Each structure stands twice: as structure tokens, then as C-alpha cells.
């Protein structure tokens, strides 16, 4: 039988790289990047290649399950899809009848394929959609909105053409977007400079021209000193500032006290190095990218760290610049219609959101909400009860702090539904588990990539499901049929695609040769004089009226971070190239590459505790403790310890991941109450632990 090439989209993380699956005799022969992706370096990372191992894994979910025992007890009854969907729809209808539609909530991990299930929630009449972003990048998004009116995705990072890249809250070479890795690698080969600011020497730092090992929690001090130097020595882009920056005098007055000498005492970085670095940035402007970060739910001042980064980019003229923070284009910017939306079939619910976003907290964007405040509403019933919760491809018991408290909160629910392609902590605690087919066994909605060269893209099914699993659209369509939502009662993905394409002039067949349809044949860079910012003034506003109206400082004076108590360390965490948080640690191929995480600890601190490299140690906080192997190294700040996030699984159905490594979120007791009221995100790295030699 000849080999078939199926154009698809990788689903092993949220980046969703274009890919090709080569299929022979009903099985995956090879997975690779889609070579038709115009202007893109396409390939797959280790996680993408492990999609084949996911399909072949006998420990993944195989059929719908309904809980029999107590929540979390692990007693399940395998059922048919008919029974599972009937059960879920009946429970949802009963809860709506008793408490009202607003008491239904749904969360996911974001991404481009959300329109159908968000339409389903809106059809029920609930405003309570959230994604995981309050544990990730809400600070970035709100920081850019407060300055430019653009969200974090209103610009893209033109690594390929950059002259200088700064990574402070972003670890490109471990928390991988393949295109960004390849584009930045090409730029480095062409002479681009790389600066990394971090508490530890990550993989990105090994490729850097400059590495600043900064004291944890002092990034804001470092950035204020850079702004001071840019303005004090007039190293900024005066033409850009005159055109587009409002309130520059207020900024100059604010940073006057924050000299490099002052910052040196806070950060541990010598003043001369800060000055030298700032002068280098000025020489390379405007083709500079100071990345504002991915996972920025770190410290209580992380919003202002992100905001200071955007301010520096503005001072360097990087906004809109080739090799800088280039503006993205959407179909409407090209005079072309976008894909039709299922959400728009239904009126926006008039009810207030349970998390308070948009009314209690008017300065936050409503779209993805704040999941930790949704959980708070489940606990307090303020402003009203939340009684039914669908966790779709989302594992809050692994991704949010204090899972024991979260379980107590979930015990207030009438119904907890998990829709997932692998077992996870939240699925194990659910009332019903609806198994979603892995990405190689499912189609998805068509989606749009808003980019320098915007395009529509398609995920096709490469294989028929090996087990009794279904695509997400099939699951929500099945619920819609049972709950009287006729607008979403679909029987084929082709009908869904045709609805989305209506009015675009594009047909399903147009995706056959490449898996995507480009809306322009060359990158679009706006001329400097044509940039448009979505603020009242049309400029970058250093003083935000939206923040001012809420009594929030646009320019917050610096406060020194809390130091760890004697004998303790700040617990920090991050990503690696081999895993996507907790979703892949039981994957046969990826588990072999990295079966457990280790505890990075500074060599001098370890020596005081008598800890040797490779020894097992005990980590303790508030009476809770776990064992982990120590990685003793000089390449981490002595105030901190570090682990890769996502380990420490305790589900008996995951034999490879069971009991391996440490789960950082279990050491965040009280962490649901630690969040940034200005940026909205959690403060996940404001916890201190003790480390003891076994």
C-alpha cells in the first residue's frame, strides 16, 4: 500500500506547528514539519515526534468513564459514548434547571481551536469561560494593553531579522516554539546578539553573548536601570518617541532615581555591565526584541516587569520594526473576510462573570478570564454559585497552586467533567471522563494564524481512533444534540469546515496540497509612519487612563523582594524541551528521554547542607515533604532552587510517571490567594522551601 501524506497540525503542546504525517498500512511511518509553510523553518521538536508513541500508548484513556466511588478514589465504570453523553447532558440540564445557566463554567488551555466549545458554553447562556492564562501569560497581555492597546498577540517576534534579542522571561531553546528556535538560530548565525537574564544558566544562556544571573525577584530593578540609562544618556529612538510615546517626561522623572549603581545593589549585576548592555541595545535599535515573556505568573511585581519590557521596546523603536516587535496582520487588514464564528451564532450572555473580570475588575480583558478567581467563586459562591465545571484539555490540579485546596473547592460542584486525551490529576478527580482522540486521530476546526503572512490552516485526521475516543467537535456536538443546541448539532467535520469557510471564497479542496491557505504571498511590515496603537491617544501611553481610573499606578515604585528565611530557598520552576508540563511525562518515548525532574541547588548552598550532586534530598514546606534528586551546580542563584514543572504524578494508571520527581504546586499552600491584582496572573514563585540531606 503506498504511503499517504496527511497535512495536519501537531498537538503535543500549544504552539501547534504545521506538520505532515506519513501513513502506511494504517500506522504512522514518519512525522515531520510541513515543508509548504511559507517563510517558516518547519520541523518537529522531541514532543512532536512523540505523537506516534502517544497513539501506541496502552495507558492512555481508551473509553468514556463514569465515577463509581468517591471523587479521587479511582473507582470507575467504563461506559458507552451514548451513556456518557446522556449522563453529562442530564447532569448539566439538572444543574441549569436548579441553579441557572450562569453556574456552568468551562476552562481550556487556549489556542486556535476554541470557537466551537466556546459557542456551546455561550449557547447555554453562561459567561464563565476561562483558559489557563492566569497561570501563564496574563501579565504579558495586560501589560501591552495598558501601554499600546494591543494584546500580547498584536505583535510577533521577528527573530529572523533581529540584531539583538533579550530573553528575560522566555527560554526559547527549552520552552520550544520550533519556528522561533530556528529563526533565532539563523539570526545568531548572521551576527545577531543574544542576552539572557535569568536566575539560572538555562540552555538559552549557553548560546548568549551576555548572561546576567540575576537575584530572584529583582528583574524590575534591572529594567528600570536600563530605562534610566536610555533616557539619561539619550540613547533611545527620538524619532519614534516623538511620534508615538506619550508622557515621556513622566517616565524620565520616575526613573531618575533608578541608576545602574542603585540596581547593582538589588540585582547583584555590576553597574558597568548594565550600562554597557544598554549602550549595545542602542546601537542595534530598532531591530531589537526584548521578549516580554511567556510564563510570567511569577512574582507579585511581574506585571510591572512585563510593562517595563514593553516600555524599553518602545524606547528602542522596536514596535512595528523589521527585526523587532512587528505588527501582525489579520484577514480584515488585507480586506478579506475571516472564518465564520460559531460563537457569533449566539448572543453574548448578559450575566456578570463569576470571576469578577469586566465588572469587579474593569481593567482586565474579559475573553479568557482568570481561572483562579473562578475557583474562588466556586468556594465562596460570591457573586453566585458555580456548580458545573468542564475542564477541557486542562489540568488545574497540576497547573494551579495548592491542589488539596482545589479538590475541596471542586467538592462544592454538582458536576466535574474532564475532556482529555490522557489521564491527568483533574480527570482522576472528575465525575465523568470523556476521552478525546489524540491529534493524529482527530480533525479540528479550521483556524487562522494572524501573522506577518496570515493564513488559514487545517488539521486532518491521519488515523482512525485506535480506542473508543472522539474528536472534541464530536463530543460537544453530541452534548449539543442532547441539550437542544441545534446550531452545533453536526455529524461531519466537512459541514463544520464549510460553515467556517462560507463567504471567504476558499473551499475545503484548497487545503489539500499544503494543509494551509495563505492570504498574502509576502510578509507585511507596516511603514513606521503608519503604525496604529489602540489607545485613546493613538500612541503608546506611559500613563494609562484605564489603570488610573482604577486607582492603579502606571509607574509603580520599586519594592525589594522578600529574601528567603535563613536556611530556605525560593522555589522556582520552568520548562524543558522534552515535556509539555504534566501532559507528556507518561508518554513512553518522552519518559525515556526524561523520566523525572531534579532539584537545581547552588553548589555553595549545597555544601553548607552537606549535599552532594546526585544525592536524594528532602524538600519541605508547611509540613509537606517530597524526595527528589539534587543537581548541585554553580549555575543557579544561591537564593533559589529550581525544578522542571509537571512531575510528581501519583495516579496508579500511569506506571512510567508514578512517583517520579517532585510536583512544585503541592508546595504552594495558600498559593491560590497569591496573585497580581494589576496584571491578573498568579504569583507562583513567591514560595520558600527547606532542603534537607536524607
Amino acid at each position: 500500500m503506498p504511503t499517504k501524506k496527511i497535512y495536519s497540525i501537531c498537538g503535543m503542546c500549544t504552539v501547534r506547528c504545521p506538520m505532515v504525517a506519513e501513513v502506511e498500512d494504517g500506522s504512522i511511518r514518519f512525522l515531520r514539519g510541513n515543508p509548504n509553510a511559507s517563510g517558516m523553518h518547519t520541523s518537529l521538536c522531541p514532543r512532536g515526534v512523540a505523537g506516534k508513541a502517544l497513539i501506541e500508548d496502552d495507558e492512555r484513556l481508551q473509553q468514556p468513564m463514569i465515577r463509581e466511588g468517591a471523587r479521587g478514589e479511582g473507582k470507575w465504570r467504563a461506559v458507552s459514548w451514548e451513556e456518557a453523553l446522556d449522563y453529562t447532558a442530564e447532569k448539566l440540564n439538572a444543574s441549569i434547571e436548579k441553579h441557572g445557566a450562569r453556574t456552568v463554567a468551562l476552562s481550556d488551555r487556549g489556542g486556535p481551536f476554541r470557537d466551537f466549545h466556546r459557542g456551546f458554553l455561550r449557547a447555554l447562556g453562561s459567561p464563565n469561560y476561562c483558559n489557563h492564562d492566569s497561570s501563564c501569560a496574563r501579565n504579558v497581555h495586560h501589560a501591552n494593553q495598558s501601554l499600546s492597546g494591543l494584546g500580547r498577540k498584536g505583535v510577533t517576534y521577528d527573530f529572523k531579522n533581529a540584531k539583538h534579542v533579550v530573553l528575560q522571561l522566555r527560554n526559547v531553546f527549552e520552552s520550544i516554539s520550533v519556528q522561533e528556535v530556528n529563526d533565532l538560530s539563523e539570526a545568531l548565525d548572521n551576527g545577531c546578539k543574544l542576552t539572557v537574564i535569568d536566575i539560572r544558566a538555562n540552555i538559552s544562556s549557553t548560546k548568549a553573548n551576555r548572561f546576567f544571573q540575576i537575584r530572584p525577584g529583582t528583574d524590575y530593578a534591572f529594567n528600570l536601570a536600563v530605562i534610566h540609562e536610555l533616557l539619561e544618556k539619550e540613547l533611545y529612538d527620538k524619532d519614534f518617541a516623538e511620534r508615538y510615546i506619550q508622557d515621556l517626561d513622566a517616565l524620565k522623572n520616575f526613573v531618575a532615581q533608578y541608576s545602574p549603581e542603585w540596581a547593582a545593589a538589588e540585582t547583584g549585576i555590576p553597574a558597568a555591565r548594565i550600562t554597557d548592555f544598554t549602550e549595545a541595545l542602542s546601537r542595534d535599535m530598532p531591530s531589537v526584541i526584548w521578549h516580554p515573556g511567556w510564563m510570567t505568573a511569577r512574582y507579585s511585581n511581574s506585571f510591572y516587569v512585563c510593562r517595563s519590557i514593553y516600555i524599553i521596546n518602545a524606547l528602542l523603536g522596536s514596535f512595528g520594526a523589521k527585526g523587532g516587535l512587528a505588527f501582525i496582520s489579520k484577514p480584515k487588514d488585507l480586506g478579506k473576510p475571516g472564518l465564520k464564528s460559531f460563537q457569533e451564532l449566539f448572543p453574548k450572555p448578559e450575566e456578570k462573570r463569576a470571576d469578577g473580570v469586566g465588572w469587579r475588575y474593569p481593567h482586565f480583558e474579559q475573553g479568557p478570564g482568570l481561572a483562579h478567581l473562578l475557583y474562588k467563586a466556586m468556594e465562596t459562591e460570591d457573586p453566585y454559585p458555580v456548580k458545573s465545571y468542564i475542564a477541557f484539555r486542562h489540568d488545574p490540579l497540576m497547573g494551579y497552586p495548592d491542589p488539596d485546596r482545589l479538590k475541596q473547592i471542586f467538592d462544592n460542584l454538582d458536576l466535574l467533567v474532564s475532556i482529555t486525551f490522557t489521564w491527568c490529576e483533574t480527570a482522576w478527580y472528575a465525575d465523568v471522563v470523556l476521552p478525546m482522540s489524540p491529534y493524529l486521530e482527530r480533525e479540528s476546526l479550521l483556524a487562522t494564524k494572524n501573522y506577518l503572512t496570515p493564513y488559514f490552516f487545517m488539521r486532518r485526521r491521519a488515523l482512525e481512533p485506535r480506542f473508543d475516543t472522539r474528536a472534541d467537535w464530536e463530543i460537544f456536538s453530541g452534548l449539543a444534540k442532547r441539550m437542544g443546541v441545534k446550531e452545533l448539532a453536526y455529524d461531519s467535520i466537512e459541514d463544520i469546515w464549510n460553515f467556517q469557510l462560507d463567504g471567504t471564497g476558499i473551499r475545503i479542496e484548497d487545503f489539500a496540497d499544503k494543509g494551509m491557505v495563505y492570504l498574502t504571498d509576502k510578509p507585511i511590515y507596516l511603514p513606521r509612519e503608519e503604525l496604529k496603537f489602540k489607545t485613546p491617544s493613538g500612541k503608546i501611553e506611559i500613563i494609562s487612563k484605564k489603570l488610573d481610573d482604577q486607582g492603579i499606578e502606571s509607574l509603580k515604585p520599586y519594592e525589594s523582594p522578600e529574601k528567603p528565611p535563613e536556611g530556605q530557598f525560593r522555589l522556582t520552576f520552568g520548562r524543558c524541551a522534552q515535556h509539555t508540563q504534566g501532559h507528556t511525562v507518561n508518554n513512553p518515548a518522552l519518559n525515556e528521554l526524561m523520566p523525572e525532574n531534579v532539584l537545581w541547588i547552588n553548589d555553595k548552598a549545597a555544601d553548607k547542607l552537606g549535599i552532594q550532586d546526585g544525592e536524594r534530598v528532602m524538600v519541605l514546606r508547611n509540613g509537606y515533604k517530597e524526595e527528589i534528586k539534587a543537581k548541585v551546580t554553580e549555575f543557579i542563584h544561591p537564593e533559589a532552587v529550581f525544578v522542571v514543572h509537571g512531575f510528581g504524578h501519583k495516579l496508579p494508571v500511569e506506571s512510567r510517571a508514578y512517583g517520579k520527581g517532585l510536583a512544585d504546586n503541592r508546595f504552594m499552600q495558600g498559593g491560590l490567594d497569591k496573585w497580581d491584582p494589576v496584571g491578573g496572573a498568579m504569583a507562583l514563585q513567591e514560595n520558600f522551601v527547606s532542603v534537607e540531606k536524607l
Side-chain angles (χ1 to χ4, degrees):
M1 183 178 291
T3 300
K4 292 192 299 182
K5 294 181 180 179
I6 310 294
Y7 293 109
S8 188
I9 301 295
C10 183
M12 294 298 285
C13 79
T14 55
V15 174
R16 297 179 179 86
C17 297
M19 60 165 290
V20 180
E22 296 184 5
V23 179
E24 193 173 280
D25 294 330
S27 63
I28 299 295
R29 178 179 174 274
F30 194 65
L31 299 174
R32 59 188 175 93
N34 185 345
N36 299 306
S38 175
M40 298 171 65
H41 293 285
T42 58
S43 54
L44 295 179
C45 73
R47 294 164 292 167
V49 176
K52 184 176 187 292
L54 173 61
I55 294 295
E56 297 170 352
D57 184 8
D58 289 333
E59 292 189 352
R60 66 180 171 96
L61 278 160
Q62 300 183 14
Q63 60 194 108
M65 312 285 279
I66 293 178
R67 176 174 61 83
E68 289 280 271
R71 279 186 174 137
E73 190 177 3
K75 293 183 179 179
W76 300 96
R77 176 166 58 91
V79 298
S80 68
W81 273 102
E82 291 301 308
E83 183 175 354
L85 292 173
D86 286 347
Y87 174 91
T88 304
E90 180 182 332
K91 291 286 188 180
L92 284 171
N93 279 328
S95 186
I96 291 170
E97 180 72 21
K98 183 177 181 180
H99 303 289
R102 67 182 184 177
T103 66
V104 179
L106 183 150
S107 70
D108 64 18
R109 286 188 54 77
F113 304 119
R114 299 173 293 165
D115 186 54
F116 199 83
H117 60 264
R118 290 190 67 181
F120 171 77
L121 185 67
R122 182 178 283 193
L124 298 185
S126 174
N128 290 316
Y129 163 78
C130 287
N131 69 21
H132 78 297
D133 217 30
S134 70
S135 64
C136 191
R138 273 295 85 185
N139 283 331
V140 187
H141 185 82
H142 287 138
N144 198 15
Q145 277 194 332
S146 74
L147 281 162
S148 70
L150 305 168
R152 68 185 176 96
K153 295 183 179 179
V155 296
T156 189
Y157 310 109
D158 191 15
F159 286 113
K160 187 187 300 186
N161 297 300
K163 294 181 180 178
H164 199 143
V165 171
V166 184
L167 303 177
Q168 184 174 29
L169 302 170
R170 177 79 176 91
N171 183 4
V172 165
F173 290 100
E174 289 185 88
S175 184
I176 290 176
S177 164
V178 172
Q179 182 184 349
E180 289 188 350
V181 168
N182 289 334
D183 282 352
L184 180 53
S185 296
E186 180 180 325
L188 294 177
D189 288 342
N190 291 331
C192 174
K193 303 178 189 69
L194 177 62
T195 296
V196 173
I197 306 163
D198 205 296
I199 65 165
R200 69 184 185 105
N202 54 32
I203 297 298
S204 298
S205 73
T206 67
K207 305 177 186 301
N209 303 85
R210 289 179 178 84
F211 170 54
F212 297 108
Q213 189 174 93
I214 196 167
R215 179 186 160 219
T218 64
D219 297 85
Y220 189 39
F222 183 94
N223 296 2
L224 290 176
V226 171
I227 296 172
H228 174 281
E229 289 295 272
L230 287 172
L231 294 175
E232 178 72 19
K233 297 182 177 178
E234 297 189 354
L235 299 173
Y236 63 99
D237 187 326
K238 296 183 182 62
D239 174 71
F240 185 91
E242 185 176 347
R243 288 176 184 267
Y244 292 120
I245 300 180
Q246 186 171 283
D247 312 309
L248 193 60
D249 287 342
L251 180 63
K252 287 180 180 178
N253 292 334
F254 174 72
V255 298
Q257 61 182 310
Y258 297 123
S259 67
E261 289 73 21
W262 164 84
E266 279 293 316
T267 64
I269 309 299
R273 292 192 68 200
I274 298 174
T275 297
D276 177 67
F277 165 58
T278 307
E279 291 172 351
L281 291 176
S282 181
R283 290 192 294 271
D284 294 325
M285 67 182 185
S287 297
V288 175
I289 299 170
W290 192 317
H291 199 294
W294 264 17
M295 202 298 287
T296 59
R298 303 190 185 198
Y299 307 117
S300 56
N301 67 353
S302 285
F303 168 83
Y304 290 101
V305 177
C306 296
R307 198 169 195 267
S308 65
I309 292 172
Y310 281 117
I311 289 173
I312 293 169
N313 280 302
L315 291 172
L316 296 172
S318 301
F319 273 93
K322 188 173 184 177
L325 273 58
F327 280 39
I328 57 97
S329 291
K330 299 180 178 181
K332 66 179 182 180
D333 297 322
L334 305 177
K336 298 181 180 182
L339 298 172
K340 284 183 65 176
S341 167
F342 289 102
Q343 284 188 78
E344 293 177 2
L345 296 175
F346 310 100
K348 184 178 180 180
E350 296 181 359
E351 293 279 4
K352 294 179 179 178
R353 295 179 56 95
D355 59 10
V357 172
W359 60 279
R360 185 175 284 166
Y361 307 105
H363 57 294
F364 295 143
E365 182 186 72
Q366 293 192 43
L370 298 174
H372 61 285
L373 297 185
L374 172 67
Y375 305 142
K376 188 74 172 177
M378 291 178 187
E379 182 178 44
T380 64
E381 300 193 349
D382 177 21
Y384 51 78
V386 176
K387 288 297 183 180
S388 300
Y389 176 34
I390 301 171
F392 170 66
R393 211 178 57 82
H394 184 205
D395 186 12
L397 289 179
M398 177 60 72
Y400 277 82
D402 207 344
D404 288 339
R405 181 179 169 195
L406 264 180
K407 288 177 182 178
Q408 293 174 356
I409 291 172
F410 292 164
D411 284 341
N412 295 325
L413 296 168
D414 292 341
L415 179 68
L416 174 57
V417 180
S418 175
I419 302 175
T420 175
F421 56 86
T422 61
W423 280 107
C424 63
E425 300 285 341
T426 303
W428 196 250
Y429 206 72
D431 300 310
V432 57
V433 181
L434 304 178
M436 185 170 67
S437 300
Y439 72 97
L440 290 168
E441 296 180 344
R442 73 176 188 265
E443 320 90 346
S444 295
L445 273 67
L446 297 173
T448 306
K449 176 68 173 179
N450 298 317
Y451 189 53
L452 292 171
T453 50
Y455 58 88
F456 299 143
F457 59 96
M458 175 184 286
R459 171 187 280 154
R460 289 187 180 272
R461 185 178 297 203
L463 301 171
E464 288 303 308
R466 180 183 171 207
F467 300 121
D468 192 14
T469 61
R470 292 188 177 181
D472 46 340
W473 70 266
E474 293 176 298
I475 295 171
F476 282 100
S477 180
L479 291 174
K481 291 174 184 177
R482 289 162 172 79
M483 300 182 73
V485 184
K486 297 179 181 179
E487 297 89 341
L488 301 179
Y490 281 87
D491 293 316
S492 77
I493 191 65
E494 289 77 16
D495 288 342
I496 288 176
W497 289 343
N498 281 325
F499 168 84
Q500 292 182 280
L501 290 171
D502 183 35
T504 64
I506 297 170
R507 305 165 303 155
I508 293 175
E509 293 79 10
D510 296 331
F511 293 85
D513 292 337
K514 296 183 178 180
M516 52 188 67
V517 174
Y518 280 88
L519 305 181
T520 181
D521 59 358
K522 59 183 180 180
I524 299 171
Y525 294 95
L526 296 178
R528 172 172 282 203
E529 60 273 13
E530 295 180 14
L531 301 182
K532 297 178 181 179
F533 297 97
K534 296 181 179 180
T535 56
S537 65
K539 296 184 177 183
I540 291 172
E541 297 179 351
I542 301 297
I543 305 300
S544 166
K545 183 178 185 303
K546 192 173 185 179
L547 295 181
D548 266 5
D549 288 346
Q550 300 305 310
I552 297 171
E553 296 169 299
S554 297
L555 298 171
K556 182 178 174 61
Y558 178 81
E559 296 176 12
S560 187
E562 181 183 0
K563 288 192 174 183
E566 183 66 29
Q568 295 188 32
F569 303 88
R570 185 182 294 271
L571 178 62
T572 68
F573 63 89
R575 293 279 301 277
C576 67
Q578 296 91 337
H579 287 294
T580 303
Q581 287 99 21
H583 302 297
T584 59
V585 295
N586 201 56
N587 182 290
L590 297 175
N591 181 270
E592 184 176 340
L593 290 176
M594 187 177 182
E596 62 182 333
N597 57 2
V598 296
L599 185 81
W600 286 50
I601 184 169
N602 179 268
D603 55 350
K604 293 182 176 60
D607 185 59
K608 289 181 181 179
L609 296 170
I611 295 171
Q612 301 295 316
D613 185 46
E615 279 190 322
R616 298 196 69 79
V617 298
M618 188 73 75
V619 180
L620 309 94
R621 183 172 190 263
N622 292 347
Y624 183 76
K625 57 186 179 181
E626 288 189 25
E627 289 184 26
I628 188 172
K629 187 183 296 183
K631 176 183 175 66
V632 177
T633 173
E634 65 182 298
F635 296 118
I636 185 169
H637 196 279
E639 289 186 12
V641 290
F642 170 89
V643 294
V644 171
H645 174 71
F647 288 85
H649 288 215
K650 296 188 176 179
L651 305 184
V653 286
E654 296 183 310
S655 66
R656 307 173 199 95
Y658 185 81
K660 301 289 182 62
L662 175 148
D664 52 83
N665 67 327
R666 295 196 188 106
F667 291 87
M668 300 177 188
Q669 301 97 327
L672 285 172
D673 298 319
K674 294 180 180 179
W675 64 284
D676 185 341
V678 184
M682 306 295 297
L684 298 175
Q685 299 189 3
E686 296 282 15
N687 302 284
F688 302 105
V689 297
S690 300
V691 181
E692 295 180 358
K693 179 183 176 71
L694 283 180

